[in-house]
Amino acid sequence: MTDVPFIEIHDVHFSRGSHEIFRGIDMIIPQGKVTAIMGPSGTGKTTLLKLIGGQLTPDRGRILVDGQDVQRLSRKALFALRKRMGMLFQSGALFSDLDVFENVAFPLRVHTDLPDAMIRDLVLLKLQAVGLRGARHLTPAELSGGMARRVALARAIALDPELILYDEPFVGQDPISMGVLVQLIKRLNEALKLTSVVVSHDIKETLSIADYLYLLADGQVVAEGTPDTLNANQDPRVSQFVHGEPDGPVPFHYPAETLYSDILGATATRAR
Amino acid sequence: MQSKFEQGVVGRIVRLGRKGCDVMEALGRAGLFLGQSVVGVPSREGWYLWLRQMHFVGVLSLAIVIVSGLFIGMVLALQGYTILVDFGAEQALGQMVALSLLRELAPVVAALLFAGRAGSALTAEIGLMKATEQLTSMEMIGVDPLRRVIAPRLWAGFVALPILTVGFSVVGIWGGYLVGVQWLGVFEGSYWSNMQASVSFMNDVGNGMIKSLVFAIVVTWIAVFQGYDLVPTSEGISRATTRTVVYSSLAVLGLDFVLTAVMFGGL
């Protein structure tokens, strides 16, 4: 890739307890593009976003965001860096004690000294971008899942960040909301010249918006490339995932002894 | 080869050691958490957040504290009268009611009620914020949840409980007056004057308030820490809420003994 890298991940290892999640992953996420990180559930995609956001620390390796080593930053510098990032959480993570308007206004109120009138205008513009200007007085409890995620998206772009991290933006969405979100992510990226990182396992939607993809499995990057190259990849691990085959290198069954011995063994014990 | 007995003993010692390490680690985390939360210059918005929490933990706890104070004062007067009248000392009823309330019952019972009413709610609220990733998203927006969410709640608890304790005492003494003077016929002048003569502002009121402040710090600290440190599942929230009430109650009763021994026990 000849693009300017915005995030660089070098040889990152990470484990939770005895469970090894990453065994040396390397990634380059270019500026101004939509990069997707895909992989089956439980491969640590959300963990990777938390590592990029500095909420977790890798056991080994380095993560650079715009040239800054996230794990070496002081708490203050890290919070300053986070002002330049937006993150869309899977649940939306809206503040339940604030209404829609105040949720979107929150980053503006805490990080800027703008007058109220200007904050109002900015919030209404952001809400207009996600189509929810009319829902500004609702509380998070009154929103559907799709609406909550759109409000969260408006909040994530409130400070005009340079980077947005999307954590499973398509999970649990009906086809209409899904289409709306896909369009929004693409349009925001183009209009605001953002760098977007989309973590997802929804193949069709992700392939339609991503410029570049990484596929994670077994704690490593097993494939990377543009949507076309990934579609044509012959590696069984890649094709099983991309074509959604139920069984393959990623087994359908959780590891267990054979069904035969499990059932007959139990029968023999009962007979005794 | 170790015998089964040896293995059992060693296993138990290992578990005990591990438990001890876990407890010390949790205490360390809780200490750091308190230190990081209470420092910092309050901003204009910080005052607003604090006021909102004062309403939540203070004003909304007022009803239960006042009603309990009234009943406890009334019961004290009733029980005290039946004992004192045998010795012809019912004039000392005011003194008895006031000292029991100011030194012991108001700080302790108000703290226990506060732990049940406000402490458990704080734990559940913060826990739910954690479970729904609100705290994480706040961090990602570049706002420290310790300052924004935890600090106003801690300070509100520190201030609210001593004020509630004052309310408890005042209403309790009035409840004692209702039963002792209005109902049982103790002479009003002796009820008040005995109280005035025997209650020392520094020793009784002051020490009671010190107790209350200590309980306020401990109960609020336990409540917010349990909320912040819980496992973010529905089971985790329910366990943490229970832990808040149990730990707070034990801490209040245990500390009450220590403080009483130091303040009034001549130690």
Side-chain angles (χ1 to χ4, degrees):
Chain A
M1 281 190 295
T2 53
D3 304 288
V4 186
F6 194 74
I7 301 173
E8 295 168 63
I9 297 172
H10 298 295
D11 191 31
V12 163
H13 288 67
F14 183 78
S15 12
R16 272 186 206 277
S18 59
H19 179 52
E20 210 175 18
I21 297 179
F22 296 129
R23 294 182 291 150
I25 53 168
D26 292 280
M27 281 184 192
I28 302 285
I29 290 169
Q31 196 158 26
K33 295 281 168 67
V34 180
T35 306
I37 297 167
M38 309 189 73
S41 302
T43 43
K45 301 186 295 293
T46 305
T47 307
L48 187 62
L49 289 190
K50 289 188 172 168
L51 286 166
I52 294 173
Q55 288 174 310
L56 297 173
T57 310
D59 302 335
R60 230 170 80 192
R62 294 198 315 154
I63 296 171
L64 304 177
V65 176
D66 199 20
Q68 302 182 62
D69 191 333
V70 177
Q71 273 66 40
R72 286 171 184 270
L73 292 177
S74 66
R75 198 171 166 86
K76 204 174 164 190
L78 180 63
F79 275 61
L81 179 66
R82 284 181 183 160
K83 286 182 206 168
R84 298 166 57 199
M85 300 181 186
M87 182 156 174
L88 182 70
F89 287 84
Q90 198 171 336
S91 59
L94 296 174
F95 303 131
S96 44
D97 54 341
L98 302 176
D99 65 10
V100 165
F101 182 93
E102 285 302 323
N103 260 288
V104 181
F106 182 82
L108 295 164
R109 290 201 199 284
V110 294
H111 289 313
T112 69
D113 290 323
L114 296 175
D116 271 358
M118 193 174 280
I119 287 183
R120 181 176 180 277
D121 293 349
L122 283 172
V123 171
L124 292 184
L125 285 173
K126 303 293 176 192
L127 283 173
Q128 172 76 10
V130 297
L132 291 175
R133 190 164 44 82
R136 76 188 98 153
H137 299 304
L138 299 181
T139 61
E142 294 170 297
L143 302 175
S144 69
M147 285 161 82
R149 223 166 283 182
R150 278 150 69 189
V151 174
L153 185 52
R155 186 180 67 182
I157 56 168
L159 284 173
D160 293 325
E162 296 158 54
L163 167 71
I164 297 203
L165 308 169
Y166 297 92
D167 186 9
E168 302 279 9
F170 311 119
V171 165
Q173 299 293 307
D174 64 65
I176 302 174
S177 322
M178 183 106 92
V180 170
L181 276 168
V182 169
Q183 281 307 312
L184 271 175
I185 293 174
K186 189 76 188 163
R187 267 179 30 211
L188 283 173
N189 192 72
E190 284 165 1
L192 304 176
K193 305 276 181 278
L194 293 168
T195 303
S196 308
V197 180
V198 182
V199 151
S200 177
H201 46 52
D202 291 278
I203 310 278
K204 198 173 121 247
E205 290 71 26
T206 313
L207 287 181
S208 71
I209 54 169
D211 297 305
Y212 201 80
L213 297 108
Y214 286 94
L215 186 60
L216 289 179
D218 306 328
Q220 286 172 321
V221 175
V222 290
E224 60 178 286
T226 59
D228 292 337
T229 50
L230 222 61
N231 254 330
N233 197 313
Q234 294 301 312
D235 183 334
R237 283 182 300 185
V238 179
S239 73
Q240 185 197 357
F241 185 77
V242 173
H243 302 294
E245 292 150 5
D247 211 353
V250 177
F252 170 69
H253 290 288
Y254 193 82
E257 56 182 313
T258 61
L259 181 65
Y260 183 77
S261 65
D262 218 356
I263 288 176
L264 285 188
T267 316
T269 316
R270 270 202 303 275
R272 258 188 267 130
Chain B
M1 277 290 284
Q2 284 179 321
S3 70
K4 218 168 191 176
F5 172 74
E6 280 171 341
Q7 279 177 0
V9 171
V10 170
R12 244 174 244 155
I13 293 173
V14 168
R15 276 198 296 279
L16 189 69
R18 200 169 288 152
K19 186 91 185 157
C21 287
D22 288 347
V23 169
M24 292 316 287
E25 197 193 319
L27 277 176
R29 272 206 314 275
L32 277 175
F33 166 84
L34 182 69
Q36 286 173 351
S37 307
V38 295
V39 294
V41 187
S43 58
R44 197 165 61 99
E45 209 204 353
W47 280 110
Y48 169 71
L49 291 170
W50 175 77
L51 267 180
R52 261 179 56 168
Q53 291 308 318
M54 278 298 284
H55 172 77
F56 181 66
V57 300
V59 177
L60 296 182
S61 305
L62 204 56
I64 184 175
V65 167
I66 295 294
V67 172
S68 310
L70 182 70
F71 281 122
I72 286 191
M74 285 160 65
V75 167
L76 265 180
L78 203 52
Q79 291 278 16
Y81 181 83
T82 53
I83 295 167
L84 289 173
V85 79
D86 287 347
F87 304 97
E90 66 269 25
Q91 285 78 16
L93 188 66
Q95 170 186 356
M96 196 219 84
V97 169
L99 287 181
S100 321
L101 278 169
L102 292 169
R103 287 181 174 189
E104 276 311 315
L105 285 170
V108 172
V109 178
L112 294 177
L113 292 170
F114 185 79
R117 158 65 184 76
S120 56
L122 281 177
T123 305
E125 188 194 14
I126 296 171
L128 209 59
M129 288 174 92
K130 184 176 181 183
T132 52
E133 294 183 306
Q134 291 182 44
L135 297 182
T136 321
S137 74
M138 199 171 274
E139 276 190 5
M140 284 306 294
I141 290 173
V143 175
D144 190 346
L146 290 182
R147 292 276 171 83
R148 170 102 197 169
V149 175
I150 304 298
R153 285 166 173 77
L154 272 175
W155 283 107
F158 295 171
V159 177
L161 181 52
I163 298 176
L164 289 170
T165 305
V166 171
F168 190 103
S169 299
V170 170
V171 175
I173 290 170
W174 184 65
Y177 164 81
L178 282 184
V179 169
V181 176
Q182 300 290 337
W183 179 23
L184 298 171
V186 174
F187 178 53
E188 186 171 355
S190 58
Y191 184 85
W192 295 118
S193 61
N194 255 327
M195 193 186 297
Q196 195 180 7
S198 60
V199 173
S200 147
F201 185 77
M202 286 304 285
N203 280 338
D204 302 319
V205 181
N207 279 337
M209 291 313 292
I210 292 174
K211 274 189 180 182
S212 176
L213 185 65
V214 172
F215 297 158
I217 293 172
V218 171
V219 171
T220 322
W221 180 21
I222 290 176
V224 292
F225 179 69
Q226 288 296 338
Y228 194 76
D229 202 49
L230 54 70
V231 182
T233 58
S234 36
E235 195 195 358
I237 294 175
S238 101
R239 277 169 184 248
T241 315
T242 311
R243 272 203 303 269
T244 291
V245 177
V246 172
Y247 290 177
S248 301
S249 308
L250 290 177
V252 165
L253 295 170
L255 274 172
D256 182 50
F257 175 72
V258 175
L259 289 171
T260 305
V262 173
M263 289 169 173
F264 306 107
L267 289 176

